[in-house]
mmCIF file of all heavy atoms in Angstrom:
data_model
loop_
_atom_site.group_PDB
_atom_site.id
_atom_site.type_symbol
_atom_site.label_atom_id
_atom_site.label_comp_id
_atom_site.label_asym_id
_atom_site.label_seq_id
_atom_site.Cartn_x
_atom_site.Cartn_y
_atom_site.Cartn_z
ATOM 1 N N ILE D 80 1.118 10.587 -4.292
ATOM 2 C CA ILE D 80 0.775 9.769 -3.171
ATOM 3 C C ILE D 80 1.919 9.047 -2.661
ATOM 4 O O ILE D 80 2.336 8.930 -1.489
ATOM 5 C CB ILE D 80 -0.504 8.855 -3.327
ATOM 6 C CG1 ILE D 80 -1.817 9.827 -3.413
ATOM 7 C CG2 ILE D 80 -0.646 7.862 -2.253
ATOM 8 C CD1 ILE D 80 -3.032 9.011 -3.895
ATOM 9 N N LEU D 81 2.532 8.312 -3.680
ATOM 10 C CA LEU D 81 3.720 7.376 -3.424
ATOM 11 C C LEU D 81 4.814 8.396 -2.790
ATOM 12 O O LEU D 81 5.658 7.961 -1.827
ATOM 13 C CB LEU D 81 4.191 6.701 -4.557
ATOM 14 C CG LEU D 81 3.236 5.452 -4.876
ATOM 15 C CD1 LEU D 81 3.665 5.009 -6.277
ATOM 16 C CD2 LEU D 81 3.124 4.403 -3.904
ATOM 17 N N THR D 82 5.066 9.485 -3.450
ATOM 18 C CA THR D 82 6.078 10.460 -2.947
ATOM 19 C C THR D 82 5.783 10.810 -1.438
ATOM 20 O O THR D 82 6.592 10.797 -0.575
ATOM 21 C CB THR D 82 6.208 11.648 -3.800
ATOM 22 O OG1 THR D 82 6.660 11.289 -5.150
ATOM 23 C CG2 THR D 82 7.179 12.690 -3.231
ATOM 24 N N ASP D 83 4.555 11.280 -1.282
ATOM 25 C CA ASP D 83 4.207 11.594 0.178
ATOM 26 C C ASP D 83 4.341 10.610 1.146
ATOM 27 O O ASP D 83 4.848 10.886 2.213
ATOM 28 C CB ASP D 83 2.800 12.236 0.087
ATOM 29 C CG ASP D 83 2.607 13.500 -0.630
ATOM 30 O OD1 ASP D 83 3.609 14.137 -1.010
ATOM 31 O OD2 ASP D 83 1.424 13.876 -0.947
ATOM 32 N N VAL D 84 3.892 9.264 0.816
ATOM 33 C CA VAL D 84 3.837 8.303 1.679
ATOM 34 C C VAL D 84 5.438 7.840 2.028
ATOM 35 O O VAL D 84 5.629 7.510 3.157
ATOM 36 C CB VAL D 84 3.014 7.060 1.328
ATOM 37 C CG1 VAL D 84 3.596 6.313 0.323
ATOM 38 C CG2 VAL D 84 2.586 6.276 2.609
ATOM 39 N N THR D 85 6.209 7.849 0.971
ATOM 40 C CA THR D 85 7.607 7.659 1.171
ATOM 41 C C THR D 85 8.228 8.610 2.124
ATOM 42 O O THR D 85 9.131 8.150 3.069
ATOM 43 C CB THR D 85 8.276 7.577 -0.112
ATOM 44 O OG1 THR D 85 7.737 6.619 -0.976
ATOM 45 C CG2 THR D 85 9.827 7.206 -0.016
ATOM 46 N N LYS D 86 7.959 9.855 2.060
ATOM 47 C CA LYS D 86 8.468 10.905 2.899
ATOM 48 C C LYS D 86 8.044 10.635 4.296
ATOM 49 O O LYS D 86 8.788 10.739 5.232
ATOM 50 C CB LYS D 86 8.235 12.307 2.326
ATOM 51 C CG LYS D 86 8.787 12.631 1.181
ATOM 52 C CD LYS D 86 8.387 14.085 0.602
ATOM 53 C CE LYS D 86 9.048 14.458 -0.581
ATOM 54 N NZ LYS D 86 8.418 15.791 -1.043
ATOM 55 N N LYS D 87 6.722 10.371 4.462
ATOM 56 C CA LYS D 87 6.169 10.196 5.721
ATOM 57 C C LYS D 87 6.773 8.879 6.370
ATOM 58 O O LYS D 87 7.209 9.071 7.611
ATOM 59 C CB LYS D 87 4.577 10.049 5.682
ATOM 60 C CG LYS D 87 4.010 9.711 6.953
ATOM 61 C CD LYS D 87 2.567 9.840 6.912
ATOM 62 C CE LYS D 87 1.863 8.640 6.299
ATOM 63 N NZ LYS D 87 0.389 8.485 6.419
ATOM 64 N N PHE D 88 6.971 7.786 5.713
ATOM 65 C CA PHE D 88 7.498 6.558 6.215
ATOM 66 C C PHE D 88 8.979 6.861 6.662
ATOM 67 O O PHE D 88 9.458 6.444 7.785
ATOM 68 C CB PHE D 88 7.438 5.504 5.279
ATOM 69 C CG PHE D 88 8.016 4.098 5.694
ATOM 70 C CD1 PHE D 88 7.319 3.556 6.773
ATOM 71 C CD2 PHE D 88 9.039 3.598 5.091
ATOM 72 C CE1 PHE D 88 7.947 2.340 7.341
ATOM 73 C CE2 PHE D 88 9.506 2.349 5.554
ATOM 74 C CZ PHE D 88 8.852 1.628 6.652
ATOM 75 N N ALA D 89 9.741 7.609 5.829
ATOM 76 C CA ALA D 89 11.204 7.966 6.082
ATOM 77 C C ALA D 89 11.207 8.853 7.314
ATOM 78 O O ALA D 89 12.066 8.391 8.244
ATOM 79 C CB ALA D 89 11.769 8.669 4.830
ATOM 80 N N ARG D 90 10.271 9.719 7.453
ATOM 81 C CA ARG D 90 10.312 10.563 8.733
ATOM 82 C C ARG D 90 10.015 9.624 9.938
ATOM 83 O O ARG D 90 10.789 9.798 10.948
ATOM 84 C CB ARG D 90 9.191 11.684 8.670
ATOM 85 C CG ARG D 90 9.517 12.891 7.962
ATOM 86 C CD ARG D 90 8.570 13.959 8.147
ATOM 87 N NE ARG D 90 7.078 13.623 8.035
ATOM 88 C CZ ARG D 90 6.445 13.581 6.997
ATOM 89 N NH1 ARG D 90 6.845 14.091 5.810
ATOM 90 N NH2 ARG D 90 5.105 13.238 7.066
ATOM 91 N N ARG D 91 9.106 8.860 9.898
ATOM 92 C CA ARG D 91 8.667 8.122 10.903
ATOM 93 C C ARG D 91 9.897 7.013 11.254
ATOM 94 O O ARG D 91 10.106 6.890 12.537
ATOM 95 C CB ARG D 91 7.407 7.364 10.780
ATOM 96 C CG ARG D 91 6.244 8.176 10.846
ATOM 97 C CD ARG D 91 4.932 7.534 10.880
ATOM 98 N NE ARG D 91 3.831 8.490 10.844
ATOM 99 C CZ ARG D 91 2.533 8.205 10.498
ATOM 100 N NH1 ARG D 91 2.255 6.965 10.197
ATOM 101 N NH2 ARG D 91 1.589 9.271 10.547
ATOM 102 N N MET D 92 10.436 6.512 10.365
ATOM 103 C CA MET D 92 11.412 5.509 10.640
ATOM 104 C C MET D 92 12.610 6.155 11.227
ATOM 105 O O MET D 92 13.392 5.700 12.069
ATOM 106 C CB MET D 92 11.874 4.742 9.342
ATOM 107 C CG MET D 92 10.989 3.557 8.933
ATOM 108 S SD MET D 92 10.613 2.476 10.416
ATOM 109 C CE MET D 92 12.252 1.949 10.830
ATOM 110 N N SER D 93 12.891 7.467 10.847
ATOM 111 C CA SER D 93 13.958 8.155 11.406
ATOM 112 C C SER D 93 13.734 8.474 12.959
ATOM 113 O O SER D 93 14.512 8.165 13.866
ATOM 114 C CB SER D 93 14.076 9.588 10.778
ATOM 115 O OG SER D 93 15.207 10.359 11.360
ATOM 116 N N LEU D 94 12.440 8.768 13.280
ATOM 117 C CA LEU D 94 12.028 8.868 14.677
ATOM 118 C C LEU D 94 12.120 7.447 15.439
ATOM 119 O O LEU D 94 12.613 7.523 16.572
ATOM 120 C CB LEU D 94 10.578 9.484 14.720
ATOM 121 C CG LEU D 94 10.487 10.880 14.295
ATOM 122 C CD1 LEU D 94 8.950 11.320 14.065
ATOM 123 C CD2 LEU D 94 11.147 11.869 15.286
#
Side-chain angles (χ1 to χ4, degrees):
I80 289 173
L81 289 172
T82 297
D83 292 347
V84 76
T85 299
K86 289 177 184 175
K87 181 169 77 172
F88 183 63
R90 278 191 316 269
R91 287 192 185 161
M92 281 310 301
S93 179
L94 292 168

